[in-house]
Amino acid sequence: MNMLESKVIQTRFEKEIFIEEKSNIEINGFHTLDKNTSFYEFMVGLDLIRIRDNEYYGNKTSYVNIRISEDFQSLFVIEPDVQSVFAIKNKQEKEAAIELIQYLLVDSQTFKQVVSEMISNIKRENVVNVFEVKEANIKLAVLERLLNVSNEDIKFMIRLENIA
């Protein structure tokens, strides 16, 4: 039997279940340094199963933004404007979502596999000019940083007051 790791966020209305499989994790939306920003940023999407009144209510993908400082030392978890994993949650529910994100970034071997596959894909890409080489090297540095994250590295910038 193949047992899967899962995490559950219990909200007032439903259970949001994250099953730890590579197909349930996406990393996209890379933004690099420019004259207005001093950090790298990308989005992590998690496919969540929704259970309401003990019945399947559908799936949804929820996101969190990750910013990494220019020196690659600090990771900041930022609430995105849309489809946030923290949306419509009270303080306790947001704390459960924070626990899920911490687990994902620090302990999840599946997340590390997704990151490692992305690194391998970038290394196989055919880059043809200086700009593409620079972009690929930045992505590689950011992704390689994700392979060695500790709880002390992560800073959450999430509003925890009760808005639900």
Side-chain angles (χ1 to χ4, degrees):
M1 179 190 326
N2 185 15
M3 297 292 289
L4 297 175
E5 181 74 33
S6 66
K7 302 293 180 194
V8 179
I9 299 172
Q10 176 67 57
T11 71
R12 290 184 314 190
F13 305 109
E14 64 188 17
K15 293 176 181 78
E16 298 174 348
I17 303 169
F18 169 71
I19 297 176
E20 190 171 354
E21 290 185 331
K22 290 190 296 186
S23 62
N24 292 334
I25 301 170
E26 66 180 75
I27 300 174
N28 58 35
F30 273 93
H31 298 282
T32 59
L33 298 172
D34 62 28
K35 61 184 176 188
N36 298 321
T37 60
S38 59
F39 51 83
Y40 306 99
E41 186 172 35
F42 58 93
M43 293 183 78
V44 176
L46 303 176
D47 189 38
L48 303 172
I49 297 171
R50 300 168 66 196
I51 304 293
R52 192 175 280 187
D53 298 325
N54 292 321
E55 292 189 20
Y56 176 73
Y57 193 69
N59 285 38
K60 73 175 184 177
T61 302
S62 293
Y63 294 91
V64 63
N65 284 353
I66 307 291
R67 287 184 182 165
I68 297 181
S69 61
E70 185 175 3
D71 62 1
F72 297 104
Q73 296 304 306
S74 299
L75 280 78
F76 302 91
V77 176
I78 311 292
E79 188 170 0
D81 293 332
V82 294
Q83 292 181 265
S84 171
V85 72
F86 303 103
I88 314 173
K89 289 181 172 59
N90 64 31
K91 183 178 179 180
Q92 292 78 22
E93 295 163 358
K94 285 184 180 187
E95 287 172 355
I98 286 171
E99 187 178 321
L100 170 61
I101 300 305
Q102 282 178 313
Y103 169 78
L104 191 75
L105 294 174
V106 176
D107 297 319
S108 172
Q109 292 306 308
T110 305
F111 181 75
K112 292 182 187 331
Q113 287 175 352
V114 169
V115 170
S116 294
E117 287 177 10
M118 289 181 72
I119 290 170
S120 295
N121 290 340
I122 290 171
K123 287 181 177 179
R124 284 194 302 268
E125 285 179 358
N126 185 21
V127 292
V128 294
N129 63 43
V130 174
F131 177 76
E132 289 177 347
V133 169
K134 183 180 176 186
E135 287 290 313
N137 286 337
I138 289 170
K139 282 184 180 180
L140 286 172
V142 168
L143 291 169
E144 287 169 354
R145 175 64 174 101
L146 289 178
L147 295 175
N148 298 303
V149 175
S150 69
N151 282 320
E152 294 78 29
D153 297 332
I154 305 170
K155 295 168 182 53
F156 285 86
M157 302 178 76
I158 307 298
R159 290 183 18 208
L160 285 179
E161 62 265 12
N162 188 358
I163 61 170

